[in-house]
Amino acid sequence: MLRSLLLNSTLSLVVLFSSLTSHGYPIKGHIFIYAGCSQEKYQPSSPFEGNLNSLLASAVSSSSQVSYNSFAIGNGTSTPPDATVYGLHQCRGDLKIFDCSKCVESAVSQIGLVCPYSYGASLQLEGCYIRYEHVDFLGKLDTGLRHSKCSKSVSNDVEFFRRRDDVVADLQGAIGFRVSSSGLVQGFAQCLGDLSPTDCSSCVADAVGKLKSVCGSAAAADVFLAQCYARYWASGYYDSSSDSSNEDQVGKTVAIIVGVLAGVAVFIVLLSVCRKAMG
């Protein structure tokens, strides 16, 4: 019963996150973008949970030194095969190490709430990304669409589309992190650090293709694939002044929901104890 209530509450958290970040495209901060959770669940206090906790702790520690790192915990040891966990963290290429560390720390604190007891999960914030699986996914090209967001249309603006096409064409040369601009249009793209240069170019090319096919004539668009993303926007479209208020609102909402979850958990535990005492 407790797990069911917590799962329903965390699903509501994802929906609420999405609604709070659906308007505008904040360029800074730890704003929630998307999360993915496996349907397969592990048991609390299992060997997998112990290895996962070690991996997440390693990600937080590592992010204070490098913007990307990958991990494999439990492979090649006496640990049961189903307890092995693989994972990585990566920050946006223009983030300073201090900001990277804070972002990864925030992602790690949220991923267990958004994806409770999941054998695999990914969480993308504005400035960083974290993912873990119980199978080895590292270095294996995956261009599946994970998230897209499109602004309002700017139809019949020939100059804008010419500039946009210049930007997204330039982004296809990304190896790692790449920023591009043309006139009033700006953009950037990034691959995960476990991809080879060839796979990175292939992934970004797919992301750019989806920017056009999914978002069409949008003034700003984001496309996140499993191992890369590409974004463009018209200059001035990202409102940095609204970013902080939006981020504050998300933070307050998370605090409220986490408090509710804690209250529900305590209530159910006390109710269970009382029933056992009376029974």
Side-chain angles (χ1 to χ4, degrees):
M1 179 180 177
L2 174 59
R3 178 179 293 187
S4 176
L5 283 172
L6 288 174
L7 182 58
N8 290 336
S9 298
T10 50
L11 289 175
S12 299
L13 175 62
V14 175
V15 173
L16 187 52
F17 263 134
S18 300
S19 68
L20 285 171
T21 59
S22 61
H23 300 290
Y25 288 69
I27 195 67
K28 299 177 182 178
H30 304 163
I31 302 300
F32 178 92
I33 293 181
Y34 77 87
C37 317
S38 70
Q39 294 298 314
E40 190 179 5
K41 304 295 182 181
Y42 63 83
Q43 292 299 314
S45 302
S46 64
F48 180 87
E49 183 176 54
N51 287 340
L52 174 59
N53 289 338
S54 294
L55 184 146
L56 295 177
S58 296
V60 172
S61 176
S62 170
S63 64
S64 66
Q65 302 175 29
V66 293
S67 62
Y68 167 82
N69 206 352
S70 61
F71 311 89
I73 308 293
N75 62 326
T77 69
S78 58
T79 303
D82 62 353
T84 302
V85 58
Y86 302 86
L88 59 82
H89 74 78
Q90 177 160 298
C91 293
R92 205 174 66 201
D94 59 345
L95 240 59
K96 295 179 180 179
I97 286 296
F98 175 81
D99 295 325
C100 173
S101 179
K102 290 299 183 183
C103 188
V104 171
E105 185 178 345
S106 177
V108 166
S109 70
Q110 293 178 40
I111 198 166
L113 291 172
V114 178
C115 299
Y117 307 123
S118 292
Y119 259 121
S122 58
L123 180 68
Q124 178 74 61
L125 300 184
E126 178 65 32
C128 63
Y129 175 74
I130 189 164
R131 179 183 177 186
Y132 72 83
E133 303 285 348
H134 74 296
V135 295
D136 188 3
F137 66 93
L138 300 171
K140 299 175 182 178
L141 182 62
D142 181 357
T143 57
L145 179 63
R146 295 294 184 265
H147 175 79
S148 63
K149 184 163 63 173
C150 315
S151 77
K152 62 183 180 181
S153 176
V154 286
S155 57
N156 302 320
D157 190 338
V158 176
E159 178 65 11
F160 168 80
F161 291 120
R162 184 176 72 82
R163 298 289 188 177
R164 182 204 65 178
D165 290 347
D166 288 344
V167 167
V168 297
D170 186 51
L171 292 180
Q172 293 188 61
I175 300 177
F177 180 71
R178 188 181 186 97
V179 179
S180 183
S181 64
S182 177
L184 298 178
V185 181
Q186 302 169 352
F188 57 78
Q190 185 170 20
C191 295
L192 290 181
D194 61 334
L195 286 188
S196 68
T198 299
D199 285 344
C200 178
S201 296
S202 176
C203 189
V204 173
D206 280 1
V208 166
K210 287 182 172 61
L211 279 176
K212 294 183 177 181
S213 64
V214 174
C215 292
S217 58
D222 301 350
V223 165
F224 289 81
L225 306 186
Q227 290 180 299
C228 68
Y229 61 83
R231 318 174 77 175
Y232 74 82
W233 64 95
S235 180
Y237 194 89
Y238 287 92
D239 184 359
S240 59
S241 64
S242 66
D243 174 40
S244 59
S245 61
N246 193 19
E247 184 176 356
D248 289 344
Q249 184 61 43
V250 173
K252 291 175 183 177
T253 303
V254 174
I256 292 170
I257 294 177
V258 171
V260 170
L261 288 175
V264 170
V266 170
F267 174 77
I268 292 175
V269 170
L270 290 175
L271 183 61
S272 177
V273 171
C274 291
R275 284 180 174 176
K276 289 181 180 180
M278 295 175 64

